[in-house]
C-alpha cells in the first residue's frame, strides 16, 4: 500500500492524541480490511469513537473517513490491476486499459439528475420506440426485451423505411429512444425531426455531443469514444460506452419501478 496514505509531518504526529495514534496504528495493521469497513464497524473493531476517526482523518488531510476509504480503494485497485496485467502482452494490456477508460469516462459524463428525468419520461410513456442501426441494434434489442420483461410496451426498429414511417405515427404520450454512435445516421435524424414537429419526447444515446441527433433530442446521454480502433477501415467501432449508458438507464428504471 502506498505510504503516502500515512505520510504526515512530525508536528502533525505529535499533535495526535493517544487514541488517535492507536487508531492510526490499527488502520496500518489492518489496511487490507479497512476499505470494506463502515465507520461504525471500524469504531467497534478499534474500540474508538467515530469522532476520533473523523478527527484523525482530517489531521491526515482527508475530508473525512469516506474520502480516506475512496483513496484506499483506488490505491488498492491500482496495485491489484498492475499485478493482474503484469504478464500480459503490452498490446493486449493497452486494449484492456482502453476499454476501462471508455467505461470510466462514460460514467463520469453522466448526471444523476438527467438519469432521474429520463427514467421519469420512460415511466410516464404509454409506449416506447427504440430506433437504431448497425451494431447499435444489439443494444436496442436488449433494452427492448428488458422493458418488455418489466411490463413496458416497447418495440425496436432498425429498417430505414420503417423508422421513417413509424416516426410519423408516434403519439405525444409516447417516447422515442435513438441509439447511434455518430448521431448522424440519416434516417434517425429524419425520424427525430419528425418527432420534434409533433412534440414527442425523444432521448438519444450517442458518443457525439455535436451531432444532429444530440441537437434535436430533448435529452442526450453522451458516451466516451476512444479515438483508437482495431478496425479503422470498417465502421465497427466499439459501442461499449453506449451499452454502459443503456444499462444504467435500465437499472435505474428497474429501481424506480420496484420502489
Amino acid at each position: 500500500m502506498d505510504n503516502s496514505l500515512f505520510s504526515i509531518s512530525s508536528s502533525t504526529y505529535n499533535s495526535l492524541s493517544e487514541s488517535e495514534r492507536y487508531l492510526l496504528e490499527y488502520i496500518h495493521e489492518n489496511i487490507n480490511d479497512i476499505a470494506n469497513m463502515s465507520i461504525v464497524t471500524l469504531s467497534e473493531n478499534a474500540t474508538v469513537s467515530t469522532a476520533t476517526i473523523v478527527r484523525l482523518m482530517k489531521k491526515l488531510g482527508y475530508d473525512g473517513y469516506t474520502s480516506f476509504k475512496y483513496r484506499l480503494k483506488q490505491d488498492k485497485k491500482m496495485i491489484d490491476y498492475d499485478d493482474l496485467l503484469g504478464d500480459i502482452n503490452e498490446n493486449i494490456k493497452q486494449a484492456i486499459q482502453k476499454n476501462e477508460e471508455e467505461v470510466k469516462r462514460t460514467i463520469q459524463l453522466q448526471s444523476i439528475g438527467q438519469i432521474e428525468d429520463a427514467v421519469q419520461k420512460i415511466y410516464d410513456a404509454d409506449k416506447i420506440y427504440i430506433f437504431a442501426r448497425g451494431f447499435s441494434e444489439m443494444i436496442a434489442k436488449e433494452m427492448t426485451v428488458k422493458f418488455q420483461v418489466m411490463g413496458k410496451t416497447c418495440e425496436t426498429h432498425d429498417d430505414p423505411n420503417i423508422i421513417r414511417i413509424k416516426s410519423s405515427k408516434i403519439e405525444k404520450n409516447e417516447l422515442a429512444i435513438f441509439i447511434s454512435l455518430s448521431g448522424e445516421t440519416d434516417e434517425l435524424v429524419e425520424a427525430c425531426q419528425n418527432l420534434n414537429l409533433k412534440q414527442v419526447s425523444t432521448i438519444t444515446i450517442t458518443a457525439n455531443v455535436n451531432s444532429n441527433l444530440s441537437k434535436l433530442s430533448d435529452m442526450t446521454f453522451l458516451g466516451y469514444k476512444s479515438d483508437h480502433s482495431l478496425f479503422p477501415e470498417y465502421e465497427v467501432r466499439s459501442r461499449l460506452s453506449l451499452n454502459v449508458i443503456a444499462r444504467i438507464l435500465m437499472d435505474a428504471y428497474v429501481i424506480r419501478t420496484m420502489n
Side-chain angles (χ1 to χ4, degrees):
M1 190 56 58
D2 191 341
N3 290 330
S4 63
L5 278 167
F6 303 100
S7 295
I8 58 176
S9 65
S10 57
S11 60
T12 300
Y13 183 81
N14 290 332
S15 71
L16 299 181
S17 66
E18 185 176 341
S19 59
E20 288 168 350
R21 291 183 186 181
Y22 164 77
L23 176 60
L24 183 64
E25 185 65 27
Y26 180 90
I27 292 174
H28 190 270
E29 291 176 355
N30 298 274
I31 197 66
N32 291 326
D33 300 321
I34 298 297
N36 296 316
M37 284 188 195
S38 68
I39 190 170
V40 174
T41 302
L42 176 58
S43 173
E44 292 173 348
N45 291 352
T47 62
V48 297
S49 67
T50 55
T52 299
I53 297 173
V54 173
R55 282 199 303 271
L56 175 63
M57 294 302 119
K58 291 188 176 296
K59 289 181 179 179
L60 291 176
Y62 298 94
D63 293 332
Y65 182 62
T66 301
S67 60
F68 173 78
K69 281 210 309 178
Y70 177 79
R71 167 66 190 282
L72 192 61
K73 287 179 178 179
Q74 290 300 107
D75 282 10
K76 186 176 186 302
K77 181 179 178 182
M78 289 305 298
I79 291 174
D80 291 346
Y81 188 69
D82 290 341
D83 289 343
L84 179 67
L85 301 182
D87 297 325
I88 295 179
N89 173 277
E90 186 61 32
N91 290 331
I92 296 176
K93 185 187 295 186
Q94 289 177 3
I96 293 172
Q97 291 171 338
K98 178 182 77 72
N99 284 286
E100 181 190 38
E101 181 185 31
E102 285 192 4
V103 172
K104 282 185 174 180
R105 292 204 179 188
T106 294
I107 292 173
Q108 290 170 353
L109 288 169
Q110 307 316 307
S111 158
I112 296 298
Q114 188 177 38
I115 292 170
E116 291 176 342
D117 289 345
V119 168
Q120 189 63 52
K121 279 182 179 290
I122 293 168
Y123 186 82
D124 292 338
D126 290 345
K127 185 175 182 179
I128 299 171
Y129 294 84
I130 305 180
F131 300 122
R133 299 278 290 126
F135 283 96
S136 298
E137 294 169 21
M138 292 182 285
I139 302 173
K141 289 175 181 176
E142 181 180 346
M143 289 185 75
T144 299
V145 171
K146 288 181 176 178
F147 276 131
Q148 291 171 347
V149 168
M150 291 297 296
K152 196 74 182 178
T153 304
C154 180
E155 58 184 62
T156 184
H157 296 285
D158 50 44
D159 181 89
N161 291 327
I162 294 177
I163 289 173
R164 291 187 175 100
I165 294 170
K166 281 288 183 179
S167 66
S168 65
K169 296 181 178 180
I170 298 176
E171 302 295 333
K172 256 189 172 183
N173 54 345
E174 298 173 331
L175 171 69
I177 298 176
F178 296 91
I179 305 176
S180 172
L181 190 69
S182 68
E184 295 292 354
T185 306
D186 290 342
E187 53 270 26
L188 299 184
V189 172
E190 183 180 329
C192 198
Q193 288 172 332
N194 291 339
L195 295 171
N196 267 357
L197 293 174
K198 299 176 64 177
Q199 296 183 319
V200 174
S201 292
T202 54
I203 295 175
T204 287
I205 301 175
T206 185
N208 185 1
V209 69
N210 294 315
S211 65
N212 281 313
L213 267 181
S214 296
K215 295 171 184 176
L216 289 167
S217 293
D218 296 332
M219 299 180 68
T220 296
F221 286 88
L222 184 65
Y224 174 78
K225 181 181 71 173
S226 171
D227 291 331
H228 178 67
S229 173
L230 295 175
F231 308 94
E233 66 272 33
Y234 301 104
E235 184 46 49
V236 291
R237 284 184 175 273
S238 168
R239 266 72 174 172
L240 177 59
S241 63
L242 307 190
N243 214 322
V244 168
I245 296 170
R247 290 192 63 177
I248 290 172
L249 286 176
M250 290 306 311
D251 288 350
Y253 178 72
V254 171
I255 294 168
R256 169 74 168 80
T257 305
M258 291 176 64
N259 291 336

